[in-house]
Structures are given as structure tokens and as C-alpha cells.
Amino acid sequence: MSLNRRKFLKKSAVTGAGVAVAGGVGAPVAEAAPAKHSGHDQHGKHGKHHEKRYALTVMGTTDLHGHVFNWDYFKNAEYADPAGNALGLSRISTLVNQVREEKGRHNTLLIDAGDTIQGTPLTYYYAKVDPITAKGGPVHPMALAMNAIGYDAAALGNHEFNYGIETLRKFESQLRFPLLGANAVDAKTLKPAFQPYVMREFRVPGAPPVKVAVLGLTNPGIAIWDKAFVQGKLAFEGLEEQAAKWVPKLRSMGADVVLVSAHSGTSGTSSYGDQVPYVENAAANVARLVPGIDAILVGHAHLEIPELRVVNEKSGKTVVLSEPLCFAERLTLFDVELVLRRGRWEVESVAASLRDSRTVADDPKITKLLTAEHKKVVAYVNQVVGRATETLTTVDARYKDAPIIDLINKVQEDVVKAALAGTEYASLPVLSQASPFSRTSEIPAGDVTIRDLSSLYVYDNTLVAKLLTGAQVRAYLEYSAQYFVQMAPGAPVDVDKLTNANDRPDYNYDYVSGLSYEIDVAQPAGSRIKNLAFGGAPLDDAAQFVFAVNNYRANGGGAFPYVASAKELWSESTEIRTRIAEWVTAKGELDPKDFASVDWKLTREGTPVFS
């Protein structure tokens, strides 16, 4: 997968003019309107020299995750959250149109920081149900929307790889703008596998053009999280290392402004331990360590950061970072002011701010463009696949053993047992892990639809079987139990403050079925698992178990001990969400007696936290 070297002519998203693109790097030229303050008299009443200035606005989105409209496919209703947010590219389109009207279309760029084609039933539908890779298949709705809005570039996100390289490459071919990933390289040649950067020129009357470079960087964790798709084909190098390589090149090519679109958060932390030598959330490190960058559009962390200023250690200059809230809920604006000095443009200032999708209506153009695709997905997710005897909910699943999570584990156990039947591992007991992904998922009593089950398992994870010992399972449970905040015996219980210790997300807390155990939250982390038993007897550390685990965890996501390096017995490419739907369809009835069990409970020095 070497860098695409085709030469082609296409409409520039900036100018609408025909632009020759060679070597995979476009260089369109925009006719820039003079900035309002262009012609400011640098010398006041004593001078006649007029200092030439130019104002550029770079707009940015990130972590769109397939959100085209302000619609919740899991609720079959308009999206709503407690903060009153609105989401979707159709809203972003309206905001972008407003900014272009304010600033002048020729004075703007629009970029994205990745995670585009995974995250909603809409993205699943066009990857698996009516796949874009099929002969004569559809154009991806996200490609249709982003092309229509007029994006100039987008960085690769880690979730771009969830459906395999073929789907990603097909999506890439449907875009009218490049997917950037300077640190995504061919595993054998170590040459760029995707376009590293894009360069744009903006003409200013009576002055040299302003050259703007956008460098794209993606997440090294892809090597772990989507190992099944990328191993031996692609490698993912560190953001700091690759920025240090490419930024000087961009400057030497005459870039007056260097922007980075990075699918990487700002915290400097990683969720995968030491399995990969590169930092997962490295955007602030890039700003601090690599000179020559003016601004960074941040992605991956699903946080809202209007403006973060980081001083570069080598140059002493300030780099401005911004992360718009995910799902197209916010649009970042980088306002870049340049001044012409000694024949070269210099960045005088950069300021970042956010625009809010809830302040505008959908763009009718995007609504008209994608209504048919949207309706197909709505019909698909509302298919009835069974009936539930009672309502199942995740509302308290993060601190109580909830039947709805037991359903996931039961399905995984059954699938793995069937897969290993007739093998040398068929006689080993099967344990299973599952996480409380959502705090609002509900399967109501009565008809059960695909969307009900999809809301329970919101990720496109697949199933893997690993071989673990009893001692390794014990260590796994201790690590998982770090999720809870330590509580003194008898202290009042506030469930809102009981979990997410050290900011650990809900998806990095695991139930394990097939065992019984207590989590003593009065004890410090590392000493919490009590009365761990299998089959009614204390767990034998030397015993062997088959462990049914999702591919994210199996590949090291969350840095749980032992599981990534454990022997793999079996794996598949069918999503766990699909397996749950198949299981319910085959049963016809969803009755907790068929899957629910109380495997664990929270205690404080032996006394249950909840009666």
C-alpha cells in the first residue's frame, strides 16, 4: 500500500478551480480577498509604508462517528442529552456556511481529525448490510456529506480501520479530499501508506501567496486495536517522531502556516500500557517538543477543549490546540493572523474558539442529500427479532451485577463453546468478560428490535478466545476492580462517586462470568478480590480456562494484564452485536432465567454495599 501517486484534476474545495494534484499532494490556489485590516499603517502619521496583513480561518471537526443527522438510532428519536446538545454533519454544514459567509469562502479551510466511518447503525449498515465494497455498491453517506460540505482534508482515526483496509480504501476513493496519516506506513517499506500532508495556497493581491500546510497524524494504538486487519500490512509510528520529520520538510517547502490534524488527545497518557512504544494521547507533546507548528486540531479523546496554549520548548513560541466536541456537536475555529515582513508571511497570532451545533438548524441541502440513506437505516434497526419477558436496563450495571450484561456474557460463552467443540480445548470451562458500555441502554418488555440490542453493544467489537490460568484471571479481576473508588466501611454510598477512579471509563471495567467473587471497595486497589470461586470451590490458580473476550481487550485495549499475550485459541470477524441478535432471534424469547446470574457483588469488609 504505497502512497497513491496518481495524477488527477479535481475541483478544489477551497476555490472551485481546477487544480492539478501530483504525488498525492494537492496545491490549489485561492484568490483571497484583502483582509479588512490589510493596509494598516505600520508607521502611523509619520510613515507611508502600509503593512500587508492576511486573516485565515481554519475550521475543524473530529470524531464524527457516522453522525449525519441529529438523530438517535438507538432511541428511534431526535437526539437529546441532559445538556441539550445537538449533533450531526447537517448542523455542521450550517455552521460552516455561516463562517464562510462571515470570513469569505476564499479565506477558509475545513479539516477533520478522524474517526468518521464507525460509531452508529448508519456506519454499520454501509459497512456490513449494504456494504460500499460490494460491486456497484453505494457511496458512503459520510463521503456524500463531507464532499457536499466541502472538506479540504481529514486525518485518519483509529476507528477508520474497524471494518478492514478494503472498506477504508473504498471510502477513501469516494472522497474529494485526502485522508492524511503521515505516521501510517507500509509495514515492509516504512513508506507512507496514506497521504502525509496537503498544501494550499491563498493569493493576496499585491503580495506573495500564503502557503498553508496541513499534516495528518493518526493513533499508534491502531496496531493493537485492529491488529487482525493491519498486522504485517501497516505500521503506526509515534506522533512526535513523525511530526519532527515532516514539519521541517513542510517549512522547507515554503509553508507559512503549519497545522496538524491529530487523532490523538492532549493528556500524554496511553490506554494500552507498554505494548506500543508510542504515546496514545500525544497532541500536547507534539506541540511542546516539535518546533514549527502553529496550531493542532485535536481528536480521539471526545473532550471539548475550546483553546489550549502550549509553549514549544525549543522555539519558545506558543502553539494553539483545540478539540471540538465529538459527534459533530461543535466546530473549532482557528483564526490565524499573518503579516508580511521582508517578503515572507509570518504568523502574528492564532486564536481558537468553538461554534455550537445546537445554535443552528440542519442544512436543507444535506437533509435532502441523505434522507433516503437515513430511512434505510431506520427501517433496518427497527426490525423485530424477539420478545422480552421483562425490561432490562444498564442504569445501575456499573456497580451491580445486571442481567443485561449477563446476556452479553452468555452469548459469548455459547459462541465460543460451539466454536471449540471437537477441539482439544472443548473440555475446558469457558469464562467471559463484558463491560457496561452505556448507562442508558434499555431493552423494554415486549418486542425486541435490532436497535434495542445495538444500544446494548455500541461498539463493533468481535469475539476472541484466549487461554488463561486461574492466577491470571485473578490478576485480571484485580486490575478491573481499580475502577472503583475506595470507600470506608459504613460511609454513605454515593453511586455517582463510586466508580471511574483515576478517570477510568466504564468500558474499561469488566464483568467476568462463570466465577463468583466479591469486590471489597474498602480495600486499596490491588487487594480487592475476595472469595473468588469456581464451581463452588476456591479458584485453583493452576487451572486452565478459555476466556471469551472482545478483540479490543484481547489486543491490549485497556492494558489488562496477561490477556494480550495469552495464547489465542480462536477468533472471528462477526461482530458481537450481531451474535447477540442471532442468539435472541434463535431463542425468540428474551427471559433472564436463560442467562442471568449473580456472579459478583461489591462489599466493604464482607458487608454488601447494596442489599
Side-chain angles (χ1 to χ4, degrees):
M1 279 174 285
S2 61
L3 180 63
N4 183 356
R5 296 286 177 187
R6 292 176 301 168
K7 294 185 179 181
F8 57 96
L9 189 72
K10 67 180 181 179
K11 291 284 189 180
S12 163
V14 178
T15 67
V19 178
V21 182
V25 180
V29 177
E31 185 67 39
K36 290 180 180 178
H37 43 254
S38 175
H40 167 72
D41 188 347
Q42 184 183 23
H43 301 290
K45 64 180 182 180
H46 300 293
K48 295 182 180 180
H49 175 68
H50 291 273
E51 191 175 67
K52 189 71 76 170
R53 293 178 175 274
Y54 178 64
L56 170 73
T57 297
V58 181
M59 297 174 281
T61 56
T62 191
D63 297 275
L64 299 172
H65 285 288
H67 290 281
V68 174
F69 296 132
N70 190 46
W71 187 260
D72 188 335
Y73 290 100
F74 301 129
K75 300 295 185 186
N76 200 38
E78 286 279 321
Y79 176 80
D81 72 3
N85 284 309
L87 49 74
L89 272 174
S90 191
R91 299 287 183 104
I92 290 293
S93 185
T94 302
L95 291 173
V96 167
N97 290 338
Q98 288 180 350
V99 174
R100 286 172 174 162
E101 182 68 24
E102 293 170 21
K103 311 286 186 178
R105 168 107 186 197
H106 299 312
N107 302 320
T108 65
L109 278 174
L110 176 59
I111 62 176
D112 182 81
D115 275 6
T116 304
I117 58 169
Q118 179 278 338
T120 62
L122 179 134
T123 53
Y124 178 81
Y125 185 89
Y126 286 97
K128 294 291 188 176
V129 182
D130 186 11
I132 62 173
T133 52
K135 187 175 181 179
V139 177
H140 200 291
M142 294 300 288
L144 288 171
M146 296 176 82
N147 287 341
I149 295 168
Y151 275 78
D152 293 289
L156 290 162
N158 54 285
H159 284 288
E160 258 66 84
F161 294 85
N162 285 174
Y163 296 118
I165 294 172
E166 182 187 7
T167 297
L168 173 54
R169 289 298 188 186
K170 184 65 177 181
F171 174 69
E172 181 186 30
S173 75
Q174 295 176 340
L175 299 173
R176 295 182 197 153
F177 56 89
L179 285 180
L180 306 178
N183 59 328
V185 299
D186 183 280
K188 296 181 178 65
T189 66
L190 300 183
K191 292 181 178 179
F194 293 84
Q195 189 167 313
Y197 66 92
V198 68
M199 186 87 78
R200 303 292 196 218
E201 288 189 1
F202 295 83
R203 285 203 186 119
V204 182
V210 175
K211 294 184 179 181
V212 180
V214 181
L215 177 68
L217 297 170
T218 192
N219 206 290
I222 296 165
I224 295 174
W225 305 320
D226 278 303
K227 180 181 177 182
F229 292 126
V230 303
Q231 189 172 34
K233 298 175 183 177
L234 297 173
F236 299 88
E237 300 180 342
L239 283 85
E240 302 101 311
E241 292 81 358
Q242 288 297 298
K245 171 185 173 181
W246 284 100
V247 170
K249 288 184 180 181
L250 298 174
R251 289 293 183 183
S252 70
M253 291 167 62
D256 302 302
V257 181
V258 174
L259 308 163
V260 175
S261 183
H263 193 75
S264 182
T266 61
S267 66
T269 61
S270 298
S271 69
Y272 42 68
D274 58 3
Q275 297 175 83
V276 168
Y278 306 120
V279 176
E280 176 183 352
N281 294 299
N285 290 352
V286 171
R288 184 171 52 84
L289 299 173
V290 181
I293 298 169
D294 296 299
I296 301 178
L297 178 65
V298 177
H300 185 60
H302 291 205
L303 298 175
E304 181 173 340
I305 304 175
E307 183 182 79
L308 174 65
R309 292 180 171 265
V310 176
V311 175
N312 184 269
E313 292 179 353
K314 295 180 181 177
S315 70
K317 293 184 177 180
T318 297
V319 185
V320 177
L321 293 79
S322 180
E323 182 175 3
L325 197 58
C326 55
F327 307 154
E329 293 186 11
R330 304 287 187 273
L331 176 72
T332 279
L333 268 62
F334 292 106
D335 286 303
V336 185
E337 299 283 340
L338 295 105
V339 61
L340 187 65
R341 294 193 177 110
R342 294 176 295 278
R344 282 296 304 268
W345 289 103
E346 295 178 9
V347 173
E348 190 169 63
S349 67
V350 181
S353 59
L354 297 176
R355 299 281 176 102
D356 194 328
S357 292
R358 67 186 136 187
T359 64
V360 295
D362 287 351
D363 182 345
K365 180 179 75 171
I366 304 301
T367 301
K368 182 179 179 181
L369 181 67
L370 292 173
T371 292
E373 287 82 355
H374 170 68
K375 286 182 176 179
K376 285 181 184 178
V377 178
V378 170
Y380 165 72
V381 299
N382 281 287
Q383 293 178 70
V384 175
V385 294
R387 288 187 60 81
T389 60
E390 62 184 76
T391 296
L392 302 168
T393 177
T394 59
V395 67
D396 57 2
R398 67 191 189 279
Y399 48 83
K400 291 182 181 178
D401 189 343
I404 197 169
I405 308 299
D406 293 335
L407 171 62
I408 300 172
N409 276 327
K410 174 60 175 171
V411 171
Q412 293 181 168
E413 287 176 21
D414 286 358
V415 170
V416 168
K417 285 177 182 176
L420 295 181
T423 73
E424 61 181 298
Y425 304 104
S427 62
L428 292 180
V430 176
L431 310 179
S432 177
Q433 66 76 224
S435 303
F437 293 135
S438 167
R439 298 186 181 191
T440 59
S441 179
E442 181 178 286
I443 300 175
D447 287 346
V448 177
T449 63
I450 288 175
R451 68 176 172 85
D452 294 325
L453 300 176
S454 297
S455 75
L456 171 60
Y457 211 106
V458 295
Y459 298 105
D460 296 313
N461 294 340
T462 57
L463 195 54
V464 180
K466 293 271 192 167
L467 185 65
L468 294 182
T469 66
Q472 290 171 334
V473 171
R474 187 188 305 273
Y476 189 99
L477 290 170
E478 282 287 6
Y479 181 86
S480 183
Q482 294 176 14
Y483 169 74
F484 295 101
V485 173
Q486 189 172 2
M487 293 176 58
V493 178
D494 182 347
V495 295
D496 292 328
K497 297 179 180 177
L498 180 58
T499 62
N500 308 104
N502 299 313
D503 296 321
R504 178 179 288 201
D506 296 345
Y507 63 77
N508 275 339
Y509 169 62
D510 285 0
Y511 288 36
V512 175
S513 68
L515 302 163
S516 61
Y517 57 99
E518 297 173 6
I519 302 173
D520 190 338
V521 293
Q523 305 305 316
S527 306
R528 291 177 170 175
I529 302 302
K530 309 296 181 184
N531 299 320
L532 178 57
F534 172 72
L539 181 70
D540 179 359
D541 283 350
Q544 288 191 315
F545 297 91
V546 175
F547 195 49
V549 59
N550 69 55
N551 66 301
Y552 173 78
R553 192 72 81 235
N555 291 335
F560 278 61
Y562 299 113
V563 67
S565 59
K567 182 176 181 179
E568 183 175 303
L569 309 181
W570 170 86
S571 65
E572 67 169 350
S573 59
T574 301
E575 293 81 5
I576 293 168
R577 179 196 299 126
T578 300
R579 289 302 193 190
I580 295 170
E582 290 172 347
W583 192 91
V584 174
T585 301
K587 287 278 186 184
E589 185 176 77
L590 196 58
D591 189 334
K593 69 178 175 56
D594 294 327
F595 54 83
S597 60
V598 179
D599 299 311
W600 63 273
K601 60 185 175 184
L602 297 184
T603 61
R604 287 183 291 187
E605 295 186 349
T607 301
V609 174
F610 304 102
S611 57

